[in-house]
Amino acid sequence: MFLRVTSEDERGDDNEGVGRRGGRRRGLLKAAGIVLAGALVLSAAGAGWIYWHLNQNIRSVDINSALGDDRPPKVVSTPSAGASASASATPLPSGALNILVLGSDSRSGDENAALGGGSSAGARSDTAMVFHIDEGRTAATVVSIPRDTLVTRPSCPTSSGGTTSVAYGSMFNSAYSVGGPVCAVKTVESITNVRMDHFIEIDFSGFADLVDALGGVTVTTDEDIDDEDSHLKLEAGEHHLDGAQALALARTRHGIGDGSDLGRIGLQQTLVKALLEQISATDLLTDPAKLYKVADTVTGSLTTDTGLDSLTELMSLGQSLRSLPSDALKTVTMPVVTAASDPNRVVANEPEASELWESLR
């Protein structure tokens, strides 16, 4: 756009001046429209970059290719009855679903180290939960598997092309240590005979950052906590925790109960419910900056199977769970008893454990 300087002779009479002023105003409006359109284009480009960035954040493992067909049968999802009638709309899935969620310190780095995480060479999965979502996706059950459970760890494929040996009487969380997510999934499937439709892993620092991005999380503890290992000291009652404190709570075991992993699992289940309630209560759509911060934090700390490794797939899963209230989430622990071979270890309590897993198939 440019301005043309005219002489007095060229201006003509008043009517012509009015016409030219009207033309000038129309030109300015046109210029403003061009600027606005440019801004919208830049916004769209920004949104595209954000989508690309968040997608790139997500790490994935091809569990299906690694494990092949030697697995429990897969439950076929059915379209939601309330899906849009539009021919172009993709109906949301509404079938039953099982997702293995692991909390680990597998990613090295200063932030993980400061929070008590290990190096990538010494990966551990200190938290293992099977999220079972019922048909219709209006209720769910979270089953925690104690890390100290002695199991028969199956032979698992390795990234180098080999396989690990079958291990009898091995701690459950050793599966991740020797074979990563693939072996963790195979071990869970071998002891439950339940197909894991998806796998999600979140690391130490990512969990802490998520809690901070949400503004903290409020929990109520039934007893005083004083754990030298997790460095957490809380009196019984309600507490609003920041990310580091929430992570310390998830790792606390020696400061409560008998000091076993079962006490820690109870705290983790309380924390999961509180975190889901916090997410539900936070209106992220009215705060784009906070929404982006939460999304960036979540995707940057996740490792998933290839069926959940994009924003589209994660959003579809989230939308399919929009009718799932927090009070419809049931938390239980796999029934166990003290192992005869080691008082510091547990084994599945049968037939109760098998009956629990049967209810999830």
Side-chain angles (χ1 to χ4, degrees), residues 225-276:
I225 297 176
D226 188 359
D227 190 340
E228 293 182 357
D229 290 345
S230 67
H231 309 295
L232 183 67
K233 187 173 183 178
L234 295 174
E235 294 182 353
E238 184 177 282
H239 301 276
H240 190 74
L241 308 179
D242 63 19
Q245 291 171 317
L247 179 60
L249 182 68
R251 299 178 61 227
T252 291
R253 63 181 293 180
H254 298 298
I256 56 168
D258 61 1
S260 72
D261 194 44
L262 300 181
R264 172 166 58 185
I265 285 174
L267 292 177
Q268 291 174 347
Q269 292 172 344
T270 297
L271 188 56
V272 166
K273 280 193 171 182
L275 190 59
L276 291 176

Side-chain angles (χ1 to χ4, degrees), residues 8 31 82 87 90 122 146 148 152 169 174 185 196 201 244 280 327-328 344 353:
E8 186 174 351
T90 301
D148 296 335
T152 296
S174 68
V185 169
M196 294 298 108
E201 175 192 337
S280 178
D327 58 4
N344 296 316

Side-chain angles (χ1 to χ4, degrees), residues 30-235:
K30 181 178 179 181
I34 292 173
V35 171
L36 177 60
L40 291 174
V41 170
L42 289 176
S43 296
W49 180 88
I50 289 173
Y51 187 91
W52 175 87
H53 172 70
L54 296 178
N55 258 343
Q56 291 296 109
N57 273 348
I58 305 169
R59 298 171 175 83
S60 65
V61 178
D62 193 346
I63 302 290
N64 291 332
S65 295
L67 295 184
D69 298 325
D70 185 20
R71 304 176 67 186
K74 185 175 183 179
V75 177
V76 178
S77 297
T78 56
S80 171
S84 170
S86 171
S88 62
T90 301
L92 293 172
S94 62
L97 203 64
N98 291 298
I99 304 174
L100 176 61
V101 178
L102 297 181
S104 79
D105 61 350
S106 63
R107 295 179 193 169
S108 60
D110 293 340
E111 189 174 3
N112 265 335
L115 292 168
S119 68
S120 56
R124 299 168 298 178
S125 57
D126 284 344
T127 303
M129 298 179 174
V130 174
F131 275 68
H132 171 76
I133 304 166
D134 291 354
E135 178 80 26
R137 306 201 177 181
T138 57
T141 302
V142 178
V143 184
S144 296
I145 303 176
R147 53 164 285 179
D148 296 335
T149 305
L150 298 181
V151 301
T152 296
R153 192 181 68 227
S155 174
C156 299
T158 63
S159 57
S160 62
T163 57
T164 64
S165 300
V166 176
Y168 300 95
S170 180
M171 277 183 60
F172 167 74
N173 73 337
S174 68
Y176 187 95
S177 299
V178 302
V182 171
C183 197
V185 169
K186 186 167 184 178
T187 300
V188 170
E189 291 184 343
S190 72
I191 66 177
T192 66
N193 196 29
V194 176
R195 172 82 170 229
M196 294 298 108
D197 300 292
H198 294 296
F199 158 81
I200 295 175
E201 175 192 337
I202 185 167
D203 68 17
F204 271 19
S205 63
F207 175 79
D209 289 344
L210 173 60
V211 173
D212 285 336
L214 289 168
V217 61
T218 301
V219 299
T220 300
T221 57
D222 297 328
E223 58 181 295
D224 295 344
I225 297 176
D226 188 359
D227 190 340
E228 293 182 357
D229 290 345
S230 67
H231 309 295
L232 183 67
K233 187 173 183 178
L234 295 174
E235 294 182 353

